mmCIF file of all heavy atoms in Angstrom:
data_model
loop_
_atom_site.group_PDB
_atom_site.id
_atom_site.type_symbol
_atom_site.label_atom_id
_atom_site.label_comp_id
_atom_site.label_asym_id
_atom_site.label_seq_id
_atom_site.Cartn_x
_atom_site.Cartn_y
_atom_site.Cartn_z
ATOM 1 N N TYR A 1 11.406 -38.074 47.957
ATOM 2 C CA TYR A 1 11.633 -38.778 49.159
ATOM 3 C C TYR A 1 10.967 -38.150 50.309
ATOM 4 O O TYR A 1 11.255 -38.476 51.510
ATOM 5 C CB TYR A 1 13.194 -38.967 49.469
ATOM 6 C CG TYR A 1 13.809 -39.817 48.418
ATOM 7 C CD1 TYR A 1 14.517 -39.300 47.327
ATOM 8 C CD2 TYR A 1 13.736 -41.178 48.474
ATOM 9 C CE1 TYR A 1 15.188 -40.017 46.417
ATOM 10 C CE2 TYR A 1 14.248 -41.992 47.499
ATOM 11 C CZ TYR A 1 15.104 -41.396 46.483
ATOM 12 O OH TYR A 1 15.606 -42.218 45.470
ATOM 13 N N ASN A 2 10.008 -37.140 50.109
ATOM 14 C CA ASN A 2 9.200 -36.572 51.128
ATOM 15 C C ASN A 2 10.097 -35.946 52.232
ATOM 16 O O ASN A 2 9.944 -36.164 53.452
ATOM 17 C CB ASN A 2 8.274 -37.541 51.679
ATOM 18 C CG ASN A 2 7.084 -37.808 50.713
ATOM 19 O OD1 ASN A 2 6.744 -36.958 49.882
ATOM 20 N ND2 ASN A 2 6.507 -39.040 50.916
ATOM 21 N N LEU A 3 11.203 -35.202 51.921
ATOM 22 C CA LEU A 3 12.074 -34.688 52.811
ATOM 23 C C LEU A 3 11.748 -33.252 53.125
ATOM 24 O O LEU A 3 11.262 -32.463 52.255
ATOM 25 C CB LEU A 3 13.482 -34.654 52.292
ATOM 26 C CG LEU A 3 14.134 -35.988 51.945
ATOM 27 C CD1 LEU A 3 15.376 -35.852 51.171
ATOM 28 C CD2 LEU A 3 14.252 -36.876 53.085
ATOM 29 N N ASP A 4 11.617 -32.843 54.430
ATOM 30 C CA ASP A 4 11.315 -31.472 54.748
ATOM 31 C C ASP A 4 12.664 -30.681 54.670
ATOM 32 O O ASP A 4 13.700 -31.185 54.670
ATOM 33 C CB ASP A 4 10.777 -31.426 56.178
ATOM 34 C CG ASP A 4 11.764 -32.001 57.287
ATOM 35 O OD1 ASP A 4 12.575 -31.078 57.699
ATOM 36 O OD2 ASP A 4 11.573 -33.132 57.673
ATOM 37 N N THR A 5 12.419 -29.343 54.565
ATOM 38 C CA THR A 5 13.510 -28.412 54.413
ATOM 39 C C THR A 5 14.564 -28.409 55.538
ATOM 40 O O THR A 5 15.760 -28.313 55.288
ATOM 41 C CB THR A 5 13.038 -27.133 54.195
ATOM 42 O OG1 THR A 5 12.172 -26.649 55.251
ATOM 43 C CG2 THR A 5 12.283 -26.904 52.908
ATOM 44 N N ASP A 6 14.085 -28.616 56.762
ATOM 45 C CA ASP A 6 14.948 -28.597 57.945
ATOM 46 C C ASP A 6 15.871 -29.869 57.828
ATOM 47 O O ASP A 6 17.122 -29.681 58.131
ATOM 48 C CB ASP A 6 14.163 -28.609 59.142
ATOM 49 C CG ASP A 6 15.022 -28.305 60.441
ATOM 50 O OD1 ASP A 6 15.659 -27.167 60.367
ATOM 51 O OD2 ASP A 6 15.098 -29.117 61.266
ATOM 52 N N THR A 7 15.385 -30.998 57.458
ATOM 53 C CA THR A 7 16.166 -32.210 57.281
ATOM 54 C C THR A 7 17.207 -32.015 56.285
ATOM 55 O O THR A 7 18.429 -32.289 56.449
ATOM 56 C CB THR A 7 15.253 -33.397 56.976
ATOM 57 O OG1 THR A 7 14.318 -33.641 57.977
ATOM 58 C CG2 THR A 7 16.089 -34.631 56.675
ATOM 59 N N LEU A 8 16.869 -31.391 55.095
ATOM 60 C CA LEU A 8 17.902 -31.246 54.014
ATOM 61 C C LEU A 8 18.783 -30.179 54.475
ATOM 62 O O LEU A 8 20.031 -30.332 54.243
ATOM 63 C CB LEU A 8 17.013 -30.730 52.802
ATOM 64 C CG LEU A 8 16.675 -31.791 51.685
ATOM 65 C CD1 LEU A 8 16.071 -31.169 50.635
ATOM 66 C CD2 LEU A 8 17.912 -32.462 51.239
ATOM 67 N N SER A 9 18.370 -29.125 55.143
ATOM 68 C CA SER A 9 19.361 -28.088 55.576
ATOM 69 C C SER A 9 20.289 -28.545 56.531
ATOM 70 O O SER A 9 21.505 -28.075 56.463
ATOM 71 C CB SER A 9 18.457 -26.877 56.153
ATOM 72 O OG SER A 9 19.377 -25.884 56.608
ATOM 73 N N ARG A 10 19.932 -29.407 57.392
ATOM 74 C CA ARG A 10 20.909 -29.972 58.378
ATOM 75 C C ARG A 10 21.742 -31.115 57.924
ATOM 76 O O ARG A 10 22.642 -31.576 58.565
ATOM 77 C CB ARG A 10 20.131 -30.452 59.671
ATOM 78 C CG ARG A 10 19.365 -29.401 60.336
ATOM 79 C CD ARG A 10 18.547 -29.884 61.549
ATOM 80 N NE ARG A 10 17.861 -28.805 62.200
ATOM 81 C CZ ARG A 10 18.234 -28.060 63.180
ATOM 82 N NH1 ARG A 10 19.523 -28.297 63.636
ATOM 83 N NH2 ARG A 10 17.541 -27.163 63.796
ATOM 84 N N GLY A 11 21.409 -31.533 56.656
ATOM 85 C CA GLY A 11 22.251 -32.613 56.038
ATOM 86 C C GLY A 11 21.959 -33.998 56.699
ATOM 87 O O GLY A 11 22.744 -34.978 56.487
ATOM 88 N N ASN A 12 20.747 -34.164 57.331
ATOM 89 C CA ASN A 12 20.411 -35.447 57.948
ATOM 90 C C ASN A 12 19.778 -36.364 56.993
ATOM 91 O O ASN A 12 18.611 -36.705 57.028
ATOM 92 C CB ASN A 12 19.468 -35.153 59.138
ATOM 93 C CG ASN A 12 20.176 -34.360 60.257
ATOM 94 O OD1 ASN A 12 21.366 -34.484 60.493
ATOM 95 N ND2 ASN A 12 19.401 -33.482 60.926
ATOM 96 N N LEU A 13 20.558 -36.784 55.976
ATOM 97 C CA LEU A 13 20.077 -37.696 55.032
ATOM 98 C C LEU A 13 20.590 -39.115 55.248
ATOM 99 O O LEU A 13 21.650 -39.343 55.637
ATOM 100 C CB LEU A 13 20.519 -37.315 53.604
ATOM 101 C CG LEU A 13 20.105 -35.898 53.202
ATOM 102 C CD1 LEU A 13 20.697 -35.591 51.833
ATOM 103 C CD2 LEU A 13 18.632 -35.699 53.195
ATOM 104 N N PRO A 14 19.705 -40.078 55.099
ATOM 105 C CA PRO A 14 20.090 -41.513 55.362
ATOM 106 C C PRO A 14 21.167 -41.921 54.409
ATOM 107 O O PRO A 14 21.134 -41.730 53.184
ATOM 108 C CB PRO A 14 18.774 -42.320 55.212
ATOM 109 C CG PRO A 14 17.910 -41.440 54.283
ATOM 110 C CD PRO A 14 18.315 -40.064 54.629
ATOM 111 N N GLY A 15 22.142 -42.649 54.950
ATOM 112 C CA GLY A 15 23.121 -43.254 54.143
ATOM 113 C C GLY A 15 24.262 -42.408 53.619
ATOM 114 O O GLY A 15 25.207 -42.829 52.801
ATOM 115 N N VAL A 16 24.370 -41.086 54.067
ATOM 116 C CA VAL A 16 25.372 -40.239 53.446
ATOM 117 C C VAL A 16 26.610 -40.299 54.358
ATOM 118 O O VAL A 16 26.617 -40.696 55.548
ATOM 119 C CB VAL A 16 24.919 -38.774 53.568
ATOM 120 C CG1 VAL A 16 23.716 -38.449 52.634
ATOM 121 C CG2 VAL A 16 24.555 -38.352 54.999
ATOM 122 N N LYS A 17 27.771 -40.166 53.755
ATOM 123 C CA LYS A 17 29.035 -40.344 54.425
ATOM 124 C C LYS A 17 29.553 -39.098 55.040
ATOM 125 O O LYS A 17 30.075 -39.000 56.048
ATOM 126 C CB LYS A 17 30.107 -40.876 53.497
ATOM 127 C CG LYS A 17 30.074 -42.364 53.170
ATOM 128 C CD LYS A 17 31.020 -42.747 52.037
ATOM 129 C CE LYS A 17 31.782 -43.948 52.319
ATOM 130 N NZ LYS A 17 32.771 -44.181 51.267
ATOM 131 N N HIS A 18 29.447 -38.005 54.168
ATOM 132 C CA HIS A 18 30.001 -36.719 54.523
ATOM 133 C C HIS A 18 28.879 -35.720 54.762
ATOM 134 O O HIS A 18 28.413 -35.074 53.809
ATOM 135 C CB HIS A 18 30.941 -36.264 53.399
ATOM 136 C CG HIS A 18 32.048 -37.246 52.922
ATOM 137 N ND1 HIS A 18 33.043 -37.519 53.846
ATOM 138 C CD2 HIS A 18 32.067 -38.010 51.964
ATOM 139 C CE1 HIS A 18 33.862 -38.414 53.273
ATOM 140 N NE2 HIS A 18 33.286 -38.757 52.064
ATOM 141 N N LYS A 19 28.469 -35.653 56.041
ATOM 142 C CA LYS A 19 27.399 -34.716 56.379
ATOM 143 C C LYS A 19 27.721 -33.333 56.194
ATOM 144 O O LYS A 19 28.814 -32.878 56.562
ATOM 145 C CB LYS A 19 26.934 -35.098 57.855
ATOM 146 C CG LYS A 19 25.724 -34.206 58.309
ATOM 147 C CD LYS A 19 25.417 -34.615 59.755
ATOM 148 C CE LYS A 19 24.248 -33.680 60.129
ATOM 149 N NZ LYS A 19 23.916 -34.107 61.603
ATOM 150 N N THR A 20 26.895 -32.519 55.558
ATOM 151 C CA THR A 20 27.078 -31.118 55.466
ATOM 152 C C THR A 20 25.769 -30.399 55.611
ATOM 153 O O THR A 20 24.688 -30.951 55.597
ATOM 154 C CB THR A 20 27.749 -30.797 54.097
ATOM 155 O OG1 THR A 20 28.052 -29.359 54.072
ATOM 156 C CG2 THR A 20 26.752 -31.052 52.994
ATOM 157 N N PHE A 21 25.789 -29.082 55.850
ATOM 158 C CA PHE A 21 24.569 -28.345 56.039
ATOM 159 C C PHE A 21 24.450 -27.192 55.070
ATOM 160 O O PHE A 21 25.419 -26.782 54.476
ATOM 161 C CB PHE A 21 24.519 -27.902 57.496
ATOM 162 C CG PHE A 21 25.646 -26.924 57.859
ATOM 163 C CD1 PHE A 21 25.302 -25.485 57.664
ATOM 164 C CD2 PHE A 21 26.773 -27.343 58.302
ATOM 165 C CE1 PHE A 21 26.341 -24.627 58.062
ATOM 166 C CE2 PHE A 21 27.814 -26.455 58.636
ATOM 167 C CZ PHE A 21 27.606 -25.023 58.517
ATOM 168 N N LEU A 22 23.219 -26.681 54.883
ATOM 169 C CA LEU A 22 22.858 -25.555 54.080
ATOM 170 C C LEU A 22 22.816 -24.341 55.008
ATOM 171 O O LEU A 22 22.133 -24.295 55.971
ATOM 172 C CB LEU A 22 21.579 -25.684 53.412
ATOM 173 C CG LEU A 22 21.518 -26.799 52.343
ATOM 174 C CD1 LEU A 22 20.124 -27.065 51.885
ATOM 175 C CD2 LEU A 22 22.488 -26.504 51.144
ATOM 176 N N THR A 23 23.556 -23.216 54.700
ATOM 177 C CA THR A 23 23.468 -22.021 55.372
ATOM 178 C C THR A 23 22.159 -21.253 54.933
ATOM 179 O O THR A 23 21.447 -21.643 53.994
ATOM 180 C CB THR A 23 24.649 -21.047 55.020
ATOM 181 O OG1 THR A 23 24.546 -20.764 53.578
ATOM 182 C CG2 THR A 23 25.997 -21.791 55.395
ATOM 183 N N ALA A 24 21.824 -20.291 55.664
ATOM 184 C CA ALA A 24 20.568 -19.446 55.335
ATOM 185 C C ALA A 24 20.826 -18.887 53.917
ATOM 186 O O ALA A 24 19.807 -18.787 53.128
ATOM 187 C CB ALA A 24 20.482 -18.260 56.341
ATOM 188 N N GLU A 25 22.023 -18.481 53.590
ATOM 189 C CA GLU A 25 22.346 -18.017 52.204
ATOM 190 C C GLU A 25 21.967 -19.104 51.097
ATOM 191 O O GLU A 25 21.448 -18.822 50.127
ATOM 192 C CB GLU A 25 23.708 -17.549 52.085
ATOM 193 C CG GLU A 25 24.035 -16.942 50.725
ATOM 194 C CD GLU A 25 25.528 -16.593 50.573
ATOM 195 O OE1 GLU A 25 26.237 -16.532 51.677
ATOM 196 O OE2 GLU A 25 26.046 -16.287 49.429
ATOM 197 N N ASP A 26 22.426 -20.346 51.438
ATOM 198 C CA ASP A 26 22.115 -21.451 50.626
ATOM 199 C C ASP A 26 20.698 -21.671 50.418
ATOM 200 O O ASP A 26 20.145 -21.878 49.309
ATOM 201 C CB ASP A 26 22.771 -22.798 51.062
ATOM 202 C CG ASP A 26 24.305 -22.691 51.205
ATOM 203 O OD1 ASP A 26 24.885 -21.979 50.223
ATOM 204 O OD2 ASP A 26 24.841 -23.385 51.947
ATOM 205 N N CYS A 27 19.950 -21.657 51.477
ATOM 206 C CA CYS A 27 18.505 -21.746 51.410
ATOM 207 C C CYS A 27 17.788 -20.696 50.637
ATOM 208 O O CYS A 27 16.899 -20.943 49.879
ATOM 209 C CB CYS A 27 17.891 -21.886 52.842
ATOM 210 S SG CYS A 27 18.446 -23.190 53.876
ATOM 211 N N PHE A 28 18.323 -19.479 50.810
ATOM 212 C CA PHE A 28 17.783 -18.321 49.997
ATOM 213 C C PHE A 28 18.022 -18.508 48.600
ATOM 214 O O PHE A 28 17.180 -18.232 47.771
ATOM 215 C CB PHE A 28 18.535 -17.074 50.561
ATOM 216 C CG PHE A 28 18.055 -15.852 49.904
ATOM 217 C CD1 PHE A 28 16.840 -15.167 50.096
ATOM 218 C CD2 PHE A 28 18.925 -15.182 48.938
ATOM 219 C CE1 PHE A 28 16.463 -14.038 49.549
ATOM 220 C CE2 PHE A 28 18.558 -14.043 48.361
ATOM 221 C CZ PHE A 28 17.318 -13.403 48.552
ATOM 222 N N GLU A 29 19.204 -19.010 48.256
ATOM 223 C CA GLU A 29 19.522 -19.198 46.821
ATOM 224 C C GLU A 29 18.611 -20.362 46.182
ATOM 225 O O GLU A 29 18.130 -20.123 45.043
ATOM 226 C CB GLU A 29 20.928 -19.694 46.695
ATOM 227 C CG GLU A 29 21.547 -19.862 45.223
ATOM 228 C CD GLU A 29 21.453 -18.562 44.443
ATOM 229 O OE1 GLU A 29 21.624 -17.545 45.069
ATOM 230 O OE2 GLU A 29 21.289 -18.658 43.186
ATOM 231 N N LEU A 30 18.308 -21.429 46.974
ATOM 232 C CA LEU A 30 17.363 -22.355 46.451
ATOM 233 C C LEU A 30 16.003 -21.849 46.299
ATOM 234 O O LEU A 30 15.363 -22.070 45.222
ATOM 235 C CB LEU A 30 17.279 -23.497 47.459
ATOM 236 C CG LEU A 30 18.500 -24.520 47.496
ATOM 237 C CD1 LEU A 30 18.382 -25.488 48.706
ATOM 238 C CD2 LEU A 30 18.544 -25.242 46.166
ATOM 239 N N GLY A 31 15.622 -20.886 47.216
ATOM 240 C CA GLY A 31 14.292 -20.266 47.036
ATOM 241 C C GLY A 31 14.248 -19.401 45.887
ATOM 242 O O GLY A 31 13.202 -19.240 45.162
ATOM 243 N N LYS A 32 15.370 -18.651 45.573
ATOM 244 C CA LYS A 32 15.414 -17.774 44.361
ATOM 245 C C LYS A 32 15.345 -18.487 43.072
ATOM 246 O O LYS A 32 14.607 -18.073 42.184
ATOM 247 C CB LYS A 32 16.657 -16.953 44.428
ATOM 248 C CG LYS A 32 16.657 -15.694 45.271
ATOM 249 C CD LYS A 32 17.923 -14.980 45.210
ATOM 250 C CE LYS A 32 18.221 -14.446 43.850
ATOM 251 N NZ LYS A 32 19.496 -13.702 43.825
ATOM 252 N N ILE A 33 16.017 -19.575 43.061
ATOM 253 C CA ILE A 33 15.992 -20.431 41.797
ATOM 254 C C ILE A 33 14.529 -20.972 41.592
ATOM 255 O O ILE A 33 14.119 -21.007 40.415
ATOM 256 C CB ILE A 33 16.975 -21.600 41.834
ATOM 257 C CG1 ILE A 33 18.468 -21.011 41.860
ATOM 258 C CG2 ILE A 33 16.817 -22.550 40.787
ATOM 259 C CD1 ILE A 33 19.527 -21.982 41.925
ATOM 260 N N ALA A 34 13.893 -21.459 42.640
ATOM 261 C CA ALA A 34 12.516 -21.860 42.564
ATOM 262 C C ALA A 34 11.687 -20.728 42.013
ATOM 263 O O ALA A 34 10.674 -20.894 41.229
ATOM 264 C CB ALA A 34 12.022 -22.339 43.774
ATOM 265 N N TYR A 35 11.926 -19.522 42.624
ATOM 266 C CA TYR A 35 11.185 -18.314 42.225
ATOM 267 C C TYR A 35 11.258 -17.976 40.724
ATOM 268 O O TYR A 35 10.236 -17.655 40.130
ATOM 269 C CB TYR A 35 11.617 -17.173 43.069
ATOM 270 C CG TYR A 35 10.860 -15.881 42.796
ATOM 271 C CD1 TYR A 35 9.679 -15.550 43.419
ATOM 272 C CD2 TYR A 35 11.439 -14.946 41.902
ATOM 273 C CE1 TYR A 35 9.005 -14.276 43.171
ATOM 274 C CE2 TYR A 35 10.800 -13.679 41.626
ATOM 275 C CZ TYR A 35 9.622 -13.478 42.224
ATOM 276 O OH TYR A 35 9.018 -12.277 41.911
ATOM 277 N N THR A 36 12.489 -18.144 40.196
ATOM 278 C CA THR A 36 12.713 -17.798 38.772
ATOM 279 C C THR A 36 11.944 -18.724 37.963
ATOM 280 O O THR A 36 11.655 -18.517 36.727
ATOM 281 C CB THR A 36 14.173 -17.813 38.419
ATOM 282 O OG1 THR A 36 14.668 -19.131 38.741
ATOM 283 C CG2 THR A 36 14.910 -16.701 39.200
ATOM 284 N N GLU A 37 11.652 -20.052 38.391
ATOM 285 C CA GLU A 37 10.855 -21.074 37.616
ATOM 286 C C GLU A 37 9.408 -20.915 37.951
ATOM 287 O O GLU A 37 8.632 -21.827 37.525
ATOM 288 C CB GLU A 37 11.356 -22.448 38.131
ATOM 289 C CG GLU A 37 12.809 -22.662 37.770
ATOM 290 C CD GLU A 37 13.103 -22.849 36.297
ATOM 291 O OE1 GLU A 37 12.261 -23.487 35.649
ATOM 292 O OE2 GLU A 37 14.142 -22.374 35.887
ATOM 293 N N ALA A 38 8.979 -19.874 38.632
ATOM 294 C CA ALA A 38 7.599 -19.653 39.056
ATOM 295 C C ALA A 38 7.075 -20.813 39.891
ATOM 296 O O ALA A 38 5.887 -21.073 39.868
ATOM 297 C CB ALA A 38 6.663 -19.421 37.839
ATOM 298 N N ASP A 39 8.009 -21.440 40.647
ATOM 299 C CA ASP A 39 7.635 -22.639 41.482
ATOM 300 C C ASP A 39 7.496 -21.958 42.839
ATOM 301 O O ASP A 39 8.399 -22.082 43.677
ATOM 302 C CB ASP A 39 8.827 -23.631 41.455
ATOM 303 C CG ASP A 39 8.528 -24.818 42.424
ATOM 304 O OD1 ASP A 39 7.533 -24.846 43.085
ATOM 305 O OD2 ASP A 39 9.429 -25.670 42.384
ATOM 306 N N TYR A 40 6.409 -21.412 43.147
ATOM 307 C CA TYR A 40 6.231 -20.685 44.500
ATOM 308 C C TYR A 40 6.009 -21.624 45.625
ATOM 309 O O TYR A 40 6.187 -21.157 46.760
ATOM 310 C CB TYR A 40 4.912 -19.848 44.283
ATOM 311 C CG TYR A 40 5.124 -18.759 43.184
ATOM 312 C CD1 TYR A 40 4.289 -18.878 42.027
ATOM 313 C CD2 TYR A 40 6.049 -17.823 43.228
ATOM 314 C CE1 TYR A 40 4.396 -17.960 40.957
ATOM 315 C CE2 TYR A 40 6.187 -16.915 42.198
ATOM 316 C CZ TYR A 40 5.363 -17.006 41.103
ATOM 317 O OH TYR A 40 5.554 -16.054 40.026
ATOM 318 N N TYR A 41 5.674 -22.827 45.342
ATOM 319 C CA TYR A 41 5.598 -23.859 46.541
ATOM 320 C C TYR A 41 7.010 -24.071 47.090
ATOM 321 O O TYR A 41 7.233 -23.906 48.356
ATOM 322 C CB TYR A 41 5.036 -25.155 45.922
ATOM 323 C CG TYR A 41 5.209 -26.317 46.858
ATOM 324 C CD1 TYR A 41 4.431 -26.441 48.023
ATOM 325 C CD2 TYR A 41 6.194 -27.337 46.729
ATOM 326 C CE1 TYR A 41 4.557 -27.451 48.973
ATOM 327 C CE2 TYR A 41 6.307 -28.403 47.573
ATOM 328 C CZ TYR A 41 5.453 -28.496 48.680
ATOM 329 O OH TYR A 41 5.652 -29.442 49.542
ATOM 330 N N HIS A 42 8.029 -24.316 46.307
ATOM 331 C CA HIS A 42 9.321 -24.516 46.867
ATOM 332 C C HIS A 42 9.941 -23.133 47.250
ATOM 333 O O HIS A 42 10.755 -23.090 48.167
ATOM 334 C CB HIS A 42 10.247 -25.255 45.845
ATOM 335 C CG HIS A 42 9.938 -26.663 45.583
ATOM 336 N ND1 HIS A 42 9.312 -27.152 44.540
ATOM 337 C CD2 HIS A 42 10.166 -27.702 46.392
ATOM 338 C CE1 HIS A 42 9.220 -28.503 44.677
ATOM 339 N NE2 HIS A 42 9.696 -28.833 45.792
ATOM 340 N N THR A 43 9.573 -22.095 46.639
ATOM 341 C CA THR A 43 10.089 -20.789 47.016
ATOM 342 C C THR A 43 9.689 -20.579 48.476
ATOM 343 O O THR A 43 10.420 -20.084 49.317
ATOM 344 C CB THR A 43 9.444 -19.638 46.097
ATOM 345 O OG1 THR A 43 9.772 -19.860 44.789
ATOM 346 C CG2 THR A 43 9.967 -18.278 46.517
ATOM 347 N N GLU A 44 8.357 -20.891 48.826
ATOM 348 C CA GLU A 44 7.972 -20.603 50.180
ATOM 349 C C GLU A 44 8.757 -21.599 51.157
ATOM 350 O O GLU A 44 9.147 -21.086 52.217
ATOM 351 C CB GLU A 44 6.426 -21.015 50.229
ATOM 352 C CG GLU A 44 5.965 -20.813 51.735
ATOM 353 C CD GLU A 44 4.360 -21.146 51.768
ATOM 354 O OE1 GLU A 44 3.754 -21.431 50.775
ATOM 355 O OE2 GLU A 44 3.887 -21.084 52.907
ATOM 356 N N LEU A 45 8.850 -22.859 50.749
ATOM 357 C CA LEU A 45 9.603 -23.776 51.677
ATOM 358 C C LEU A 45 10.840 -23.270 52.047
ATOM 359 O O LEU A 45 11.324 -23.277 53.159
ATOM 360 C CB LEU A 45 9.631 -25.178 51.008
ATOM 361 C CG LEU A 45 8.321 -25.962 50.923
ATOM 362 C CD1 LEU A 45 8.587 -27.315 50.235
ATOM 363 C CD2 LEU A 45 7.632 -26.127 52.292
ATOM 364 N N TRP A 46 11.723 -22.843 50.947
ATOM 365 C CA TRP A 46 13.141 -22.518 51.269
ATOM 366 C C TRP A 46 13.363 -21.142 51.736
ATOM 367 O O TRP A 46 14.294 -20.883 52.580
ATOM 368 C CB TRP A 46 13.998 -22.799 50.045
ATOM 369 C CG TRP A 46 14.067 -24.262 49.811
ATOM 370 C CD1 TRP A 46 13.393 -25.040 48.911
ATOM 371 C CD2 TRP A 46 14.913 -25.096 50.569
ATOM 372 N NE1 TRP A 46 13.853 -26.343 49.138
ATOM 373 C CE2 TRP A 46 14.751 -26.466 50.081
ATOM 374 C CE3 TRP A 46 15.918 -24.884 51.619
ATOM 375 C CZ2 TRP A 46 15.425 -27.443 50.568
ATOM 376 C CZ3 TRP A 46 16.498 -26.012 52.071
ATOM 377 C CH2 TRP A 46 16.355 -27.322 51.608
#
């Protein structure tokens, strides 16, 4: 859906009922998981 990391992190998704946000620790965890998959593109983003 071509979403940028800031939009996802702030929980600003269309049509959602219960808005929530990602902490810096959550973003770090997403980056680590991408890193373990050698997915350096998403590692950099998160």
Side-chain angles (χ1 to χ4, degrees):
Y1 294 99
N2 288 334
L3 300 172
D4 61 83
T5 52
D6 195 59
T7 297
L8 267 177
S9 177
R10 295 175 183 274
N12 294 326
L13 302 178
V16 296
K17 283 172 135 183
H18 307 287
K19 182 178 177 180
T20 188
F21 63 92
L22 294 170
T23 64
E25 181 183 347
D26 294 330
C27 297
F28 180 75
E29 185 63 29
L30 285 170
K32 275 182 62 178
I33 289 173
Y35 178 85
T36 59
E37 299 287 321
D39 179 1
Y40 300 115
Y41 168 73
H42 286 108
T43 302
E44 179 183 358
L45 290 181
W46 286 103

